[in-house]
């Protein structure tokens, strides 16, 4: 069974700093890995998706990397801003599942606070 | 498009009562997913539909939980009878394909069972 872990559960950094969020998974037979953002009282918004054949994806100040062999992904946020404060979740989609490829396994998230 | 719409936003009920959560997916999306989020277990898939047909309900915790999708624009998740351990945030999400590359979440229903 795929397990996805995100450590730390919470992180506080001063505004302007660069930071890295971590995600690890136990089954390397993944189809893709996705990073989401969740604001309080809101649903999840997709940030970046990395296919299993890719090593990284970038969007603005965000960069996500994937190392399948070690079962790790990182989300790098450059020049952090107070608006980046949110919970960040990673999710992996397995190549094989009982009914198809649709099932995602989520980590429990890292709650990020950017201190002005 | 207004996105995925869930109602109610908050529900407080007493143990043993029936609870019905509602979801309107984005028009044209053929896939609909129900998730549950708790502090202990994180976000878990309960059930998903493709073209209104339930495909995988292996995440539904007990027979007390049931979900329906009578048409392409409406789905319900029902808990009967409800228990305190059902307290969680329930999310609905929809996708135009089964691929998670385009997965859109609603704002969730915060359920508290007293």
């Amino acid at each position: 069974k795929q397990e996805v872990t995100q450590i730390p559960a919470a992180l506080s950094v001063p505004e302007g700093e660069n930071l890295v969020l971590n995600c690890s998974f136990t089954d390397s037979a993944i189809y893709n890995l996705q990073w989401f953002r969740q604001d309080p009282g809101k649903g999840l918004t997709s940030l970046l998706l990395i296919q299993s054949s890719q090593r990284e994806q970038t969007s603005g100040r965000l960069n996500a990397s994937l190392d399948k062999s070690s079962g790790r992904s990182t989300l790098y946020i450059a020049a952090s801003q107070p608006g980046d404060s949110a919970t960040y979740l990673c999710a992996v989609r397995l190549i094989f599942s009982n009914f198809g490829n649709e099932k995602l396994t989520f980590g429990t998230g890292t709650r990020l606070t950017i201190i002005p | 498009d207004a996105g995925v719409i869930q109602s109610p936003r908050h529900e407080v009920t007493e143990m043993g009562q029936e609870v019905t959560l509602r979801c309107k997916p984005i028009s044209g999306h053929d896939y609909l997913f129900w998730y549950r989020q708790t502090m202990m277990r994180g976000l878990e898939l309960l059930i998903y539909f493709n073209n209104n047909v339930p495909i995988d309900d292996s995440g539904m915790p007990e027979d007390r939980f049931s979900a329906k999708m009578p048409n392409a624009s409406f789905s319900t998740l029902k808990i009967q009878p409800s228990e305190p351990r059902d307290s969680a945030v329930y999310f609905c999400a929809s996708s135009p394909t089964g691929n998670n590359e385009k997965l859109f979440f609603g704002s969730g229903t915060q359920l508290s069972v007293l």
Side-chain angles (χ1 to χ4, degrees), chain A residues 47-60:
Chain A
L47 297 173
L48 289 166
L49 184 147
I50 310 176
Q51 302 291 354
S52 62
S53 58
Q54 298 174 320
R55 296 297 300 271
E56 64 180 309
Q57 281 285 335
T58 298
S59 176

Side-chain angles (χ1 to χ4, degrees), chain B residues 16-71:
Chain B
Q17 297 298 307
E18 177 179 295
V19 175
T20 299
L21 311 180
R22 297 173 176 79
C23 176
K24 177 179 169 56
I26 294 173
S27 178
H29 284 196
D30 292 335
Y31 287 79
L32 184 140
F33 304 81
W34 282 101
Y35 287 90
R36 177 173 68 176
Q37 186 176 41
T38 61
M39 290 291 291
M40 289 297 294
R41 301 172 67 88
L43 200 65
E44 302 173 291
L45 177 66
L46 299 177
I47 185 171
Y48 79 89
F49 295 83
N50 177 213
N51 291 322
N52 313 336
V53 176
I55 302 299
D56 182 358
D57 65 354
S58 60
M60 297 285 264
E62 301 171 32
D63 291 344
R64 299 183 296 106
F65 286 69
S66 63
K68 295 182 179 180
M69 193 165 185
N71 57 63

